[in-house]
Amino acid sequence: SQKIEQNSEALNIQEGKTATLTCNYTNYSPAYLQWYRQDPGRGPVFLLLIRENEKEKRKERLKVTFDTTLKQSLFHITASQPADSATYLCALDMGSNYQLIWGAGTKLIIKP
Amino acid sequence: GAVVSQHPSRVICKSGTSVKIECRSLDFQATTMFWYRQFPKKSLMLMATSNEGSKATYEQGVEKDKFLINHASLTLSTLTVTSAHPEDSSFYICSASAGGRYSNQPQHFGDGTRLSIL
């Protein structure tokens, strides 16, 4: 069965640097891959969606890449700020007739 | 846009009580609503999917009679935890989508309900 892995350890980054989070999956490539942000005690907030045939997607300081050969998506935050501190979740959308498969998330801490 | 309101945010009640949680899409019509349960440092666990006017689709292992879902309109879905017990204590989150159950449309989440059963 499809498995999704996100680094379970917290990622500590100095303010101003680029933070890079990893989402790895096994087996078949998803049709779409989504990234969400979740703050403590809150629901996730949708950030970006990237399609299987897209290599890269950008939104302001955010960038997502999708490498079907490596079975990996990378989520980048450039010029990171303390306000970017949160848990970031990736979710695989295998296409029609399948529900989203969620990762457990990676906690990002941006130090001032 | 795409705001989802979930209420209440926190519930503390005695064992045996039934608890109702509401999920509303405020500025869009939600074709599909999802109910999740989340444990600390764990991924979201989908409990059920509901479409307006039809019966909810429950995931394997989720008791239909325990977790009653009603999706009465395109903007409102409710989850009722019947005769709640301490093991039902958890963080429950709803989400809404303008797409179908298997759509690539992003999901818009409520802020969750922290349920504590004494």
Side-chain angles (χ1 to χ4, degrees):
Chain A
S1 60
Q2 182 72 282
K3 290 185 180 179
I4 181 170
E5 295 178 355
Q6 291 187 261
N7 195 331
S8 59
E9 296 182 6
L11 182 63
N12 288 275
I13 300 294
Q14 194 66 39
E15 181 179 8
K17 301 292 185 182
T18 296
T20 299
L21 287 75
T22 305
C23 177
N24 294 304
Y25 59 91
T26 60
N27 301 338
Y28 303 107
S29 290
Y32 309 93
L33 199 148
Q34 303 182 16
W35 282 89
Y36 291 77
R37 167 185 173 143
Q38 186 174 23
D39 290 283
R42 307 290 296 273
V45 175
F46 171 74
L47 296 175
L48 281 169
L49 178 152
I50 187 166
R51 292 177 170 77
E52 184 180 18
N53 60 355
E54 294 178 316
K55 297 293 185 184
E56 182 179 298
K57 200 78 168 284
R58 292 175 183 262
K59 179 183 177 182
E60 299 174 350
R61 293 185 297 112
L62 309 180
K63 184 178 81 171
V64 171
T65 62
F66 192 177
D67 189 325
T68 55
T69 301
L70 294 177
K71 297 185 178 180
Q72 180 181 79
S73 175
L74 298 179
F75 178 83
H76 306 273
I77 304 176
T78 58
S80 60
Q81 305 166 1
D84 295 325
S85 299
T87 295
Y88 290 85
L89 309 172
C90 68
L92 308 185
D93 184 342
M94 303 305 294
S96 59
N97 299 321
Y98 293 96
Q99 60 172 292
L100 286 180
I101 303 172
W102 291 89
T106 297
K107 184 175 182 179
L108 175 65
I109 301 170
I110 307 298
K111 296 181 177 180
Chain B
V3 178
V4 174
S5 173
Q6 185 173 342
H7 179 80
S9 59
R10 187 175 181 89
V11 179
I12 302 173
C13 57
K14 295 180 179 180
S15 183
T17 306
S18 290
V19 178
K20 179 186 280 189
I21 302 170
E22 287 190 353
C23 182
R24 294 180 183 271
S25 58
L26 299 184
D27 54 0
F28 69 103
Q29 292 188 327
T31 307
T32 308
M33 286 188 169
F34 304 83
W35 287 96
Y36 292 89
R37 189 170 176 176
Q38 189 176 34
F39 295 98
K41 298 185 179 182
K42 298 293 184 182
S43 62
L44 293 169
M45 185 187 80
L46 181 64
M47 298 174 65
T49 307
S50 71
N51 292 95
E52 182 262 342
S54 62
K55 290 184 179 180
T57 302
Y58 289 82
E59 297 303 307
Q60 192 173 9
V62 178
E63 299 177 58
K64 300 178 182 180
D65 296 332
K66 175 75 171 177
F67 300 99
L68 301 178
I69 291 173
N70 184 287
H71 194 155
S73 73
L74 283 172
T75 60
L76 173 64
S77 177
T78 61
L79 167 68
T80 302
V81 183
T82 61
S83 187
H85 293 285
E87 59 266 27
D88 298 322
S89 299
S90 190
F91 190 52
Y92 293 87
I93 315 177
C94 74
S95 72
S97 171
R101 181 184 181 194
Y102 302 116
S103 167
N104 66 309
Q105 292 293 315
Q107 295 183 24
H108 304 287
F109 287 82
D111 273 341
T113 297
R114 174 70 59 190
L115 177 61
S116 300
I117 308 298
L118 305 177

PDB file of all heavy atoms in Angstrom, chain B residues 94-113:
ATOM      1  N   CYS B  94     -13.114  19.085  10.791  1.00  0.00           N
ATOM      2  CA  CYS B  94     -13.895  18.924   9.575  1.00  0.00           C
ATOM      3  C   CYS B  94     -13.241  19.721   8.452  1.00  0.00           C
ATOM      4  O   CYS B  94     -12.472  20.657   8.696  1.00  0.00           O
ATOM      5  CB  CYS B  94     -15.337  19.393   9.759  1.00  0.00           C
ATOM      6  SG  CYS B  94     -15.531  21.180   9.830  1.00  0.00           S
ATOM      7  N   SER B  95     -13.509  19.310   7.250  1.00  0.00           N
ATOM      8  CA  SER B  95     -13.062  20.090   6.088  1.00  0.00           C
ATOM      9  C   SER B  95     -14.167  20.066   5.045  1.00  0.00           C
ATOM     10  O   SER B  95     -15.038  19.197   5.064  1.00  0.00           O
ATOM     11  CB  SER B  95     -11.759  19.545   5.506  1.00  0.00           C
ATOM     12  OG  SER B  95     -11.980  18.324   4.847  1.00  0.00           O
ATOM     13  N   ALA B  96     -14.098  21.021   4.148  1.00  0.00           N
ATOM     14  CA  ALA B  96     -15.107  21.128   3.102  1.00  0.00           C
ATOM     15  C   ALA B  96     -14.419  21.366   1.773  1.00  0.00           C
ATOM     16  O   ALA B  96     -13.365  22.003   1.700  1.00  0.00           O
ATOM     17  CB  ALA B  96     -16.073  22.276   3.408  1.00  0.00           C
ATOM     18  N   SER B  97     -15.018  20.828   0.748  1.00  0.00           N
ATOM     19  CA  SER B  97     -14.465  20.977  -0.591  1.00  0.00           C
ATOM     20  C   SER B  97     -15.586  21.263  -1.577  1.00  0.00           C
ATOM     21  O   SER B  97     -16.700  20.758  -1.424  1.00  0.00           O
ATOM     22  CB  SER B  97     -13.724  19.700  -0.993  1.00  0.00           C
ATOM     23  OG  SER B  97     -13.358  19.741  -2.358  1.00  0.00           O
ATOM     24  N   ALA B  98     -15.244  22.072  -2.556  1.00  0.00           N
ATOM     25  CA  ALA B  98     -16.215  22.352  -3.613  1.00  0.00           C
ATOM     26  C   ALA B  98     -16.236  21.223  -4.635  1.00  0.00           C
ATOM     27  O   ALA B  98     -17.094  21.178  -5.512  1.00  0.00           O
ATOM     28  CB  ALA B  98     -15.892  23.667  -4.300  1.00  0.00           C
ATOM     29  N   GLY B  99     -15.280  20.291  -4.508  1.00  0.00           N
ATOM     30  CA  GLY B  99     -15.233  19.165  -5.422  1.00  0.00           C
ATOM     31  C   GLY B  99     -15.856  17.934  -4.808  1.00  0.00           C
ATOM     32  O   GLY B  99     -16.355  17.968  -3.686  1.00  0.00           O
ATOM     33  N   GLY B 100     -15.791  16.841  -5.492  1.00  0.00           N
ATOM     34  CA  GLY B 100     -16.338  15.598  -4.996  1.00  0.00           C
ATOM     35  C   GLY B 100     -15.370  14.913  -4.059  1.00  0.00           C
ATOM     36  O   GLY B 100     -14.304  15.435  -3.737  1.00  0.00           O
ATOM     37  N   ARG B 101     -15.713  13.724  -3.611  1.00  0.00           N
ATOM     38  CA  ARG B 101     -14.907  12.999  -2.641  1.00  0.00           C
ATOM     39  C   ARG B 101     -13.502  12.747  -3.161  1.00  0.00           C
ATOM     40  O   ARG B 101     -12.531  12.793  -2.420  1.00  0.00           O
ATOM     41  CB  ARG B 101     -15.582  11.662  -2.330  1.00  0.00           C
ATOM     42  CG  ARG B 101     -14.809  10.841  -1.309  1.00  0.00           C
ATOM     43  CD  ARG B 101     -15.435   9.483  -1.074  1.00  0.00           C
ATOM     44  NE  ARG B 101     -14.694   8.720  -0.086  1.00  0.00           N
ATOM     45  CZ  ARG B 101     -14.837   7.425   0.127  1.00  0.00           C
ATOM     46  NH1 ARG B 101     -15.716   6.753  -0.591  1.00  0.00           N
ATOM     47  NH2 ARG B 101     -14.132   6.801   1.046  1.00  0.00           N
ATOM     48  N   TYR B 102     -13.358  12.514  -4.444  1.00  0.00           N
ATOM     49  CA  TYR B 102     -12.053  12.192  -4.994  1.00  0.00           C
ATOM     50  C   TYR B 102     -11.518  13.309  -5.877  1.00  0.00           C
ATOM     51  O   TYR B 102     -10.678  13.096  -6.729  1.00  0.00           O
ATOM     52  CB  TYR B 102     -12.141  10.897  -5.795  1.00  0.00           C
ATOM     53  CG  TYR B 102     -12.647   9.730  -4.974  1.00  0.00           C
ATOM     54  CD1 TYR B 102     -13.842   9.112  -5.281  1.00  0.00           C
ATOM     55  CD2 TYR B 102     -11.928   9.279  -3.880  1.00  0.00           C
ATOM     56  CE1 TYR B 102     -14.312   8.050  -4.529  1.00  0.00           C
ATOM     57  CE2 TYR B 102     -12.384   8.222  -3.128  1.00  0.00           C
ATOM     58  CZ  TYR B 102     -13.562   7.606  -3.452  1.00  0.00           C
ATOM     59  OH  TYR B 102     -14.023   6.560  -2.707  1.00  0.00           O
ATOM     60  N   SER B 103     -11.998  14.497  -5.631  1.00  0.00           N
ATOM     61  CA  SER B 103     -11.576  15.632  -6.449  1.00  0.00           C
ATOM     62  C   SER B 103     -10.197  16.114  -6.043  1.00  0.00           C
ATOM     63  O   SER B 103      -9.752  15.917  -4.921  1.00  0.00           O
ATOM     64  CB  SER B 103     -12.575  16.776  -6.275  1.00  0.00           C
ATOM     65  OG  SER B 103     -12.060  17.967  -6.811  1.00  0.00           O
ATOM     66  N   ASN B 104      -9.513  16.778  -6.956  1.00  0.00           N
ATOM     67  CA  ASN B 104      -8.229  17.367  -6.627  1.00  0.00           C
ATOM     68  C   ASN B 104      -8.389  18.751  -6.025  1.00  0.00           C
ATOM     69  O   ASN B 104      -7.409  19.432  -5.766  1.00  0.00           O
ATOM     70  CB  ASN B 104      -7.343  17.449  -7.870  1.00  0.00           C
ATOM     71  CG  ASN B 104      -7.917  18.419  -8.890  1.00  0.00           C
ATOM     72  OD1 ASN B 104      -9.081  18.333  -9.234  1.00  0.00           O
ATOM     73  ND2 ASN B 104      -7.108  19.338  -9.355  1.00  0.00           N
ATOM     74  N   GLN B 105      -9.616  19.160  -5.819  1.00  0.00           N
ATOM     75  CA  GLN B 105      -9.827  20.463  -5.202  1.00  0.00           C
ATOM     76  C   GLN B 105      -9.279  20.442  -3.774  1.00  0.00           C
ATOM     77  O   GLN B 105      -9.439  19.453  -3.057  1.00  0.00           O
ATOM     78  CB  GLN B 105     -11.330  20.788  -5.146  1.00  0.00           C
ATOM     79  CG  GLN B 105     -11.951  21.025  -6.498  1.00  0.00           C
ATOM     80  CD  GLN B 105     -11.419  22.288  -7.130  1.00  0.00           C
ATOM     81  OE1 GLN B 105     -11.323  23.318  -6.472  1.00  0.00           O
ATOM     82  NE2 GLN B 105     -11.058  22.209  -8.392  1.00  0.00           N
ATOM     83  N   PRO B 106      -8.618  21.505  -3.345  1.00  0.00           N
ATOM     84  CA  PRO B 106      -8.095  21.519  -1.976  1.00  0.00           C
ATOM     85  C   PRO B 106      -9.229  21.490  -0.961  1.00  0.00           C
ATOM     86  O   PRO B 106     -10.350  21.885  -1.247  1.00  0.00           O
ATOM     87  CB  PRO B 106      -7.328  22.844  -1.915  1.00  0.00           C
ATOM     88  CG  PRO B 106      -7.896  23.678  -2.998  1.00  0.00           C
ATOM     89  CD  PRO B 106      -8.306  22.739  -4.077  1.00  0.00           C
ATOM     90  N   GLN B 107      -8.885  21.020   0.213  1.00  0.00           N
ATOM     91  CA  GLN B 107      -9.858  20.994   1.293  1.00  0.00           C
ATOM     92  C   GLN B 107      -9.634  22.205   2.193  1.00  0.00           C
ATOM     93  O   GLN B 107      -8.502  22.608   2.442  1.00  0.00           O
ATOM     94  CB  GLN B 107      -9.708  19.697   2.095  1.00  0.00           C
ATOM     95  CG  GLN B 107     -10.042  18.455   1.267  1.00  0.00           C
ATOM     96  CD  GLN B 107      -9.955  17.179   2.071  1.00  0.00           C
ATOM     97  OE1 GLN B 107     -10.069  17.172   3.290  1.00  0.00           O
ATOM     98  NE2 GLN B 107      -9.738  16.076   1.378  1.00  0.00           N
ATOM     99  N   HIS B 108     -10.737  22.747   2.662  1.00  0.00           N
ATOM    100  CA  HIS B 108     -10.675  23.902   3.552  1.00  0.00           C
ATOM    101  C   HIS B 108     -11.156  23.456   4.920  1.00  0.00           C
ATOM    102  O   HIS B 108     -12.273  22.948   5.052  1.00  0.00           O
ATOM    103  CB  HIS B 108     -11.523  25.040   2.988  1.00  0.00           C
ATOM    104  CG  HIS B 108     -11.116  25.417   1.590  1.00  0.00           C
ATOM    105  ND1 HIS B 108      -9.964  26.103   1.324  1.00  0.00           N
ATOM    106  CD2 HIS B 108     -11.679  25.131   0.393  1.00  0.00           C
ATOM    107  CE1 HIS B 108      -9.845  26.263   0.016  1.00  0.00           C
ATOM    108  NE2 HIS B 108     -10.858  25.677  -0.578  1.00  0.00           N
ATOM    109  N   PHE B 109     -10.316  23.647   5.909  1.00  0.00           N
ATOM    110  CA  PHE B 109     -10.548  23.058   7.222  1.00  0.00           C
ATOM    111  C   PHE B 109     -11.133  24.041   8.223  1.00  0.00           C
ATOM    112  O   PHE B 109     -10.858  25.245   8.181  1.00  0.00           O
ATOM    113  CB  PHE B 109      -9.232  22.528   7.798  1.00  0.00           C
ATOM    114  CG  PHE B 109      -8.748  21.271   7.140  1.00  0.00           C
ATOM    115  CD1 PHE B 109      -8.046  21.315   5.945  1.00  0.00           C
ATOM    116  CD2 PHE B 109      -9.000  20.022   7.715  1.00  0.00           C
ATOM    117  CE1 PHE B 109      -7.601  20.149   5.331  1.00  0.00           C
ATOM    118  CE2 PHE B 109      -8.558  18.857   7.110  1.00  0.00           C
ATOM    119  CZ  PHE B 109      -7.860  18.919   5.921  1.00  0.00           C
ATOM    120  N   GLY B 110     -11.912  23.481   9.131  1.00  0.00           N
ATOM    121  CA  GLY B 110     -12.322  24.220  10.317  1.00  0.00           C
ATOM    122  C   GLY B 110     -11.180  24.208  11.325  1.00  0.00           C
ATOM    123  O   GLY B 110     -10.135  23.586  11.086  1.00  0.00           O
ATOM    124  N   ASP B 111     -11.362  24.869  12.437  1.00  0.00           N
ATOM    125  CA  ASP B 111     -10.302  24.956  13.441  1.00  0.00           C
ATOM    126  C   ASP B 111     -10.316  23.812  14.442  1.00  0.00           C
ATOM    127  O   ASP B 111      -9.552  23.824  15.409  1.00  0.00           O
ATOM    128  CB  ASP B 111     -10.371  26.296  14.174  1.00  0.00           C
ATOM    129  CG  ASP B 111      -9.596  27.373  13.432  1.00  0.00           C
ATOM    130  OD1 ASP B 111      -8.745  27.003  12.584  1.00  0.00           O
ATOM    131  OD2 ASP B 111      -9.833  28.560  13.676  1.00  0.00           O
ATOM    132  N   GLY B 112     -11.171  22.845  14.220  1.00  0.00           N
ATOM    133  CA  GLY B 112     -11.140  21.658  15.050  1.00  0.00           C
ATOM    134  C   GLY B 112     -11.924  21.794  16.345  1.00  0.00           C
ATOM    135  O   GLY B 112     -12.226  22.896  16.813  1.00  0.00           O
ATOM    136  N   THR B 113     -12.243  20.640  16.915  1.00  0.00           N
ATOM    137  CA  THR B 113     -12.930  20.559  18.199  1.00  0.00           C
ATOM    138  C   THR B 113     -12.150  19.624  19.101  1.00  0.00           C
ATOM    139  O   THR B 113     -11.937  18.457  18.745  1.00  0.00           O
ATOM    140  CB  THR B 113     -14.363  20.012  18.034  1.00  0.00           C
ATOM    141  OG1 THR B 113     -15.120  20.908  17.222  1.00  0.00           O
ATOM    142  CG2 THR B 113     -15.041  19.849  19.399  1.00  0.00           C
TER     143      THR B 113
END
